[in-house]
Amino acid sequence: MALCLYEQKTDSIKKMIESKMYHHFLFEHIESPEIDEDRILMLLIAMEETRIPVERYEQQVISAMLVQIALDIHDKVAHQQKTLTERQLSVLAGDYFSGLYYQTLAEIEDSDLIRTLANAIKLINEHKISIYRLEAANLDSFMAGFKQIVITVIDKFCRHFKTTRHIHLFVEHLYLKKLLAEMESFNSGHYSILFEGLKHFSLPQKKSIPLSNLSQRDLHALKEICSSYIAQSKTVLLEESLRVSGLPDIFLGRIKELTNNYKRLAT
């Protein structure tokens, strides 16, 4: 599929998702959910390796995206300051979009993918519980669980269809993108469960002190630790991009764009 066709297909899928999940009442009271075009692109690249008819795999891609959107909305409820009504409606929206994935796959009678995505949701929620409770044995274990929350949907989806040629590249791209987003969010003064974990495991003597009350020295130390994980992920991503073959130019462009964001954040 040529570059412009991937762009057109990604935009087409995004519009179908927006149309499917639009609910007049909900969107009058909560902000419209973000749809990650990188994820759509990855799913499309993966499905190009199959012989599944386009009309069918479009619905499968849409379903995986609806699951991810629902999970992301539930995360935002936990992290953002909202009124009780806004929180309740956000939870309702997450549940609504999650139900849409089931309905979409039921319409094409794909019970196998329903089970795969349901299992992905279960695993992600288990990791979230562990992350929010800071139950990991150490920092590396915490970061591994954090990564699983980010990558599990696309990982399970690709493995379900046995389209794993680019899977390591995909998951590392998503992980680096999330790390950069968390760093940028924290730099802007927003709450970050990632930095909460970094504080818990790296500054155990400061566990009871809110992130906002840490000294500049401690905050700098946490940012340095996060930067080390970002640099490690960037190295893995670039090495993987050189190792694989047949990757569409459009995705190579997304990798370059992401690593440029890394340079901007590091300066």
Side-chain angles (χ1 to χ4, degrees), residues 18 38 79 144 171 196 240 259 267:
E18 289 171 338
D38 284 357
H79 297 163
V171 299
E196 195 67 55
E240 191 65 26
T259 53
T267 56

Side-chain angles (χ1 to χ4, degrees), residues 32-137:
S32 180
E34 181 181 349
I35 301 174
D36 189 341
E37 292 185 9
D38 284 357
R39 286 185 182 268
I40 297 176
L41 178 58
M42 292 175 196
L43 293 168
L44 287 174
I45 292 170
M47 295 309 284
E48 280 295 303
E49 298 181 30
T50 72
R51 296 183 178 180
I52 300 172
V54 173
E55 296 78 9
R56 183 174 178 84
Y57 81 57
E58 283 178 345
Q59 298 306 308
Q60 292 164 329
V61 168
I62 288 169
S63 298
M65 288 301 301
L66 287 169
V67 167
Q68 189 64 56
I69 290 165
L71 291 164
D72 290 345
I73 287 175
H74 284 154
D75 276 350
K76 286 185 177 181
V77 172
H79 297 163
Q80 293 182 347
Q81 296 294 325
K82 294 185 176 184
T83 66
L84 177 59
T85 299
E86 288 173 329
R87 290 172 65 86
Q88 290 173 332
L89 286 173
S90 294
V91 171
L92 178 62
D95 292 342
Y96 173 68
F97 299 144
S98 184
L100 285 178
Y101 103 83
Y102 185 94
Q103 179 187 30
T104 301
L105 292 177
E107 288 172 354
I108 61 172
E109 299 181 348
D110 193 344
S111 57
D112 288 341
L113 187 54
I114 288 175
R115 284 191 289 270
T116 293
L117 292 177
N119 184 52
I121 294 169
K122 175 178 177 292
L123 291 173
I124 288 170
N125 286 334
E126 289 173 354
H127 284 296
K128 283 183 179 179
I129 291 170
S130 178
I131 290 298
Y132 294 147
R133 293 180 178 176
L134 302 170
E135 294 175 340

Side-chain angles (χ1 to χ4, degrees), residues 219-247:
L219 290 174
H220 179 73
L222 295 182
K223 291 177 184 179
E224 285 293 306
I225 295 169
C226 185
S227 293
S228 70
Y229 279 99
I230 289 172
Q232 180 182 355
S233 178
K234 173 178 172 281
T235 298
V236 172
L237 178 64
L238 291 176
E239 288 177 349
E240 191 65 26
S241 68
L242 294 174
R243 188 189 67 80
V244 300
S245 60
L247 193 69

Side-chain angles (χ1 to χ4, degrees), residues 202-213:
S202 303
L203 302 172
Q205 70 278 18
K206 307 289 178 68
K207 287 180 182 179
S208 61
I209 301 176
L211 283 167
S212 58
N213 291 346

